[in-house]
Amino acid sequence: MQFNDLSPKRQKTLFYFLSILRIGIGWHLLYEGLLKLFDPEWTALAYLNSAYGPLSGFFHALAANPDMLQWINILNMAGLVAIGLFLFAGFLTRFAQMGAIVLLSLYYISHPPIFTDPGFFREGSYLIMSKDLLEIIALLVLMFFNTGKFLGIDGLIASWRKQDMHQLDHGQPDPAEIKADIAGIRRRELLKHLATLPFMGGVFYGAIKKSALDSAEEQYLVDSASGATASFVRSIQSGGDRFTLESLKGQKFDEVKNISGPLPTGKIGNLESARLILGGNLISGYVHSRDLIYVSSLVRNYHQKDRVFRTLMLAEQSGVNTILSNPVVMPIMKEYWNEGYGKIQFISDMAGLDYSNGIKPMPFDDYYALVRNAIEDGANAAYIQGETADYYIENNLIDKLVKVMDLVRSYKIPVGIGAHKIETIKRCVELGLETDFWMKTLHTHNYWSAQHPTWHDNMYCYKPEETIAFMESLPQPWIAFKILAAGALKPEEAFQYAFRSGADFICVGMYDFQIVDDTNIAFNSLNTLTDRSRPWC
């Protein structure tokens, strides 16, 4: 059956559904454009650098040219907003659809999901097919139907032109006819063709709301995850000029002359690491700030690429040979390794939760791919991130947790389990899960905000004594983290407490200016330790 064979009623119904499809695509593109427009730090740099496939060299060259990158940023934002607006409103619809096809095609070929996983930047992509390709196909279909004239400003313009032609062909009509016919038609046409515009406010509201949430500590005065993934990639990949970066290569830092002595090391599976591990939260952008609303912007502005590389190099020269962080830092880690700045080892946390609307697990295929990509990019060990393990255990998602661990184990690197709650560790032991190491929070409650009756980004180890007692029975290495309670405790007290309580390694977030002091504190704590009961593992 051809379109013309359909009854007028069915044709009208079909056009309504096709118009909804056009509006939906417009909604998506407009929303993405507004998010970028409302974010003064957004840049396409990380996205272009992550491109792969036959045209990856072209996209990398664009990223390497600052002037070209600036234009790409502007054109990308303007294109998304303009095309989204035009599709939504049905204005210049055919041109908007062609523009959308071109833009989406560029997105698709930059990260083609052809017999490979498209990686962190390209969610919604599954073996050739992706959301970009689906929208391209939908737009190609829409090219055969002028939905803008059916429901949109294009239709309103066509209606007015038709009315003008009517007046031109028939001379001067009777004033009563104009009032009864033309005015009435215009009111009906306005209502019909501008019907989508009120809904456009929802897109703007959603984008503004999302942008307001980009700094979580300012919104809720709690953990400032603050869009950390995007913030990290934007800030460190866009900062640090090449001259400064090149000057770092081979540099020996005077500060390391003040190191008291070599840090003792231990084994985590087949990985030998100093007992002080550099925590990556301050580098990746995941920072706890309690009520300090400026912290997220401080981290983004402080950690330019040259500062990150300096931090990593200084850690290595101080004897801290391992960093533990989120896979989001892998693009920078790969550049650090490949460009010859250093060889620091990387333990990847495997965070698999989605915090965009409450707390829920991210799609498992996406989680699985994220873990695999981190390992293939160079991670030396990996562990189920603490909050993720807590969630998976509490919700009895054991089979998925095991599947991720088996993936890590298949790459012949150590695999671990992390937890904020000691009940999670106990349940894992009860289930007989095989792990090469444990990650468990540990800190005292000897600071004022720990006494607050409501959790307010103020406590990470809820039962320290129970944690110490149970971890003592485990034969695997234990990396203690959050030992400073996110800056509430002094390192002199916290390091000694963690090692005395049985931790084999401590993971501590450190800025470059803290590394030498913290290394000496760890060295002195280990060398003066006399009352540890748990054997070193």
Side-chain angles (χ1 to χ4, degrees):
M1 178 181 292
Q2 296 183 358
F3 177 75
N4 291 334
D5 295 331
L6 296 174
S7 67
K9 184 177 180 180
R10 289 193 175 185
Q11 290 183 14
K12 188 175 181 179
T13 301
L14 175 61
F15 264 98
Y16 271 120
F17 279 106
L18 291 173
S19 297
I20 291 171
L21 177 61
R22 184 203 78 219
I23 292 165
I25 296 173
W27 182 300
H28 172 222
L29 299 181
L30 176 59
Y31 181 79
E32 291 290 343
L34 290 174
L35 284 182
K36 294 171 175 58
L37 184 64
F38 293 152
D39 184 350
E41 297 183 14
W42 179 83
T43 173
L45 179 63
Y47 186 88
L48 293 171
N49 276 332
S50 69
Y52 61 89
L55 297 179
S56 60
F58 169 71
F59 291 105
H60 295 165
L62 294 177
N65 186 323
D67 293 332
M68 184 64 70
L69 178 64
Q70 186 175 4
W71 277 107
I72 289 171
N73 290 338
I74 294 171
L75 291 173
N76 199 21
M77 286 187 289
L80 285 168
V81 172
I83 291 170
L85 276 172
F86 288 2
L87 288 176
F88 204 107
F91 178 59
L92 299 177
T93 309
R94 291 285 174 82
F95 291 103
Q97 288 168 175
M98 287 189 287
I101 290 171
V102 171
L103 194 59
L104 290 167
S105 297
L106 288 172
Y107 295 157
Y108 183 83
I109 63 176
S110 67
H111 295 76
I114 301 176
F115 307 112
T116 183
D117 187 88
F120 181 81
F121 289 96
R122 302 299 297 123
E123 81 288 353
S125 301
Y126 307 99
L127 186 60
I128 299 178
M129 190 57 64
S130 72
K131 66 182 183 184
D132 292 334
L133 186 56
L134 284 172
E135 289 186 342
I136 291 170
I137 294 171
L139 287 163
L140 288 172
V141 172
L142 288 172
M143 291 294 289
F144 292 93
F145 302 91
N146 201 335
T147 60
K149 285 191 176 181
F150 175 77
L151 189 67
I153 295 177
D154 286 345
L156 194 60
I157 294 172
S159 174
W160 286 342
R161 285 178 177 173
K162 183 178 179 182
Q163 292 163 18
D164 291 340
M165 288 299 295
H166 173 81
Q167 294 183 48
L168 182 63
D169 291 343
H170 294 83
Q172 296 298 322
D174 184 80
E177 181 185 345
I178 296 176
K179 184 176 181 180
D181 185 22
I182 302 299
I185 290 173
R186 287 187 173 180
R187 283 197 296 269
R188 292 196 298 271
E189 293 295 332
L190 277 171
L191 289 174
K192 174 185 176 182
H193 293 294
L194 300 183
T196 63
L197 298 188
F199 297 99
M200 198 180 296
V203 185
F204 280 88
Y205 175 78
I208 293 170
K209 187 77 172 176
K210 178 68 168 60
S211 299
L213 292 175
D214 192 44
S215 182
E217 83 281 11
E218 294 177 25
Q219 191 72 16
Y220 299 112
L221 298 178
V222 295
D223 178 16
S224 64
S226 65
T229 295
S231 299
F232 169 80
V233 173
R234 288 194 301 263
S235 62
I236 64 175
Q237 294 215 25
S238 61
D241 61 77
R242 179 53 54 182
F243 176 80
T244 304
L245 288 169
E246 289 295 333
S247 68
L248 282 173
K249 286 185 179 179
Q251 182 174 342
K252 301 296 181 182
F253 298 105
D254 291 338
E255 299 97 311
V256 299
K257 296 177 182 178
N258 299 320
I259 296 292
S260 300
L263 282 171
T265 63
K267 298 280 283 188
I268 303 171
N270 58 9
L271 184 72
E272 184 165 352
S273 171
R275 296 200 180 275
L276 174 62
I277 295 173
L278 175 63
N281 278 9
L282 298 180
I283 294 176
S284 66
Y286 290 94
V287 287
H288 295 272
S289 60
R290 294 182 173 85
D291 291 353
L292 304 178
I293 64 175
Y294 58 82
V295 172
S296 63
S297 59
L298 172 65
V299 171
R300 286 196 297 267
N301 284 279
Y302 182 82
H303 271 297
Q304 304 299 312
K305 187 188 296 184
D306 52 352
R307 180 67 66 172
V308 172
F309 283 9
R310 170 184 160 82
T311 301
L312 297 175
M313 292 174 65
L314 185 55
E316 288 194 74
Q317 293 180 30
S318 299
V320 179
N321 67 334
T322 306
I323 179 175
L324 187 152
S325 191
N326 188 276
V328 69
V329 307
M330 291 310 295
I332 289 299
M333 294 306 305
K334 288 171 67 177
E335 181 177 347
Y336 179 80
W337 294 324
N338 296 339
E339 295 294 326
Y341 292 94
K343 300 179 180 179
I344 194 167
Q345 301 172 122
F346 185 81
I347 299 177
S348 177
D349 76 30
M350 298 185 290
L353 298 182
D354 179 359
Y355 297 91
S356 61
N357 186 19
I359 300 178
K360 59 182 182 295
M362 68 169 61
F364 186 73
D365 288 345
D366 291 352
Y367 182 29
Y368 196 80
L370 184 149
V371 173
R372 184 177 64 244
N373 290 342
I375 298 171
E376 293 180 352
D377 282 343
N380 304 100
Y383 76 99
I384 306 291
Q385 182 248 13
E387 289 182 336
T388 302
D390 289 340
Y391 184 96
Y392 271 52
I393 291 297
E394 287 176 359
N395 291 275
N396 202 34
L397 301 173
I398 312 302
D399 57 331
K400 293 184 176 180
L401 189 150
V402 170
K403 187 175 180 180
V404 173
M405 295 180 66
D406 287 343
L407 171 64
V408 178
R409 197 172 283 112
S410 71
Y411 284 88
K412 311 297 184 185
I413 63 173
V415 60
I417 296 177
H420 284 220
K421 301 175 181 178
I422 189 58
E423 291 81 5
T424 299
I425 303 292
K426 290 181 176 180
R427 180 59 177 157
C428 290
V429 172
E430 181 183 314
L431 290 167
L433 298 181
E434 296 183 5
T435 181
D436 296 308
F437 65 98
W438 301 99
M439 286 281 299
K440 176 64 182 72
T441 51
L442 179 67
H443 59 73
T444 70
H445 292 172
N446 298 328
Y447 56 97
W448 71 270
S449 63
Q451 314 309 319
H452 197 284
T454 304
W455 188 84
H456 196 63
D457 192 35
N458 59 319
M459 187 183 296
Y460 316 94
C461 181
Y462 306 100
K463 302 175 181 178
E465 298 307 319
E466 187 175 335
T467 294
I468 294 168
F470 186 76
M471 296 302 291
E472 187 167 2
S473 66
L474 301 181
Q476 296 89 0
W478 168 22
I479 304 174
F481 70 109
K482 290 287 188 289
I483 66 168
L484 300 176
L489 298 169
K490 293 182 178 180
E492 293 85 352
E493 301 170 1
F495 289 15
Q496 185 78 222
Y497 175 79
F499 285 129
R500 185 175 66 246
S501 300
D504 300 293
F505 303 84
I506 57 175
C507 178
V508 182
M510 296 179 280
Y511 290 110
D512 53 351
F513 57 84
Q514 296 171 318
I515 288 176
V516 169
D517 286 344
D518 284 352
T519 299
N520 286 335
I521 293 170
F523 176 84
N524 294 331
S525 297
L526 289 164
N527 279 277
T528 59
L529 198 63
T530 57
D531 51 352
R532 176 187 171 100
S533 60
R534 181 174 183 260
W536 291 97
C537 300

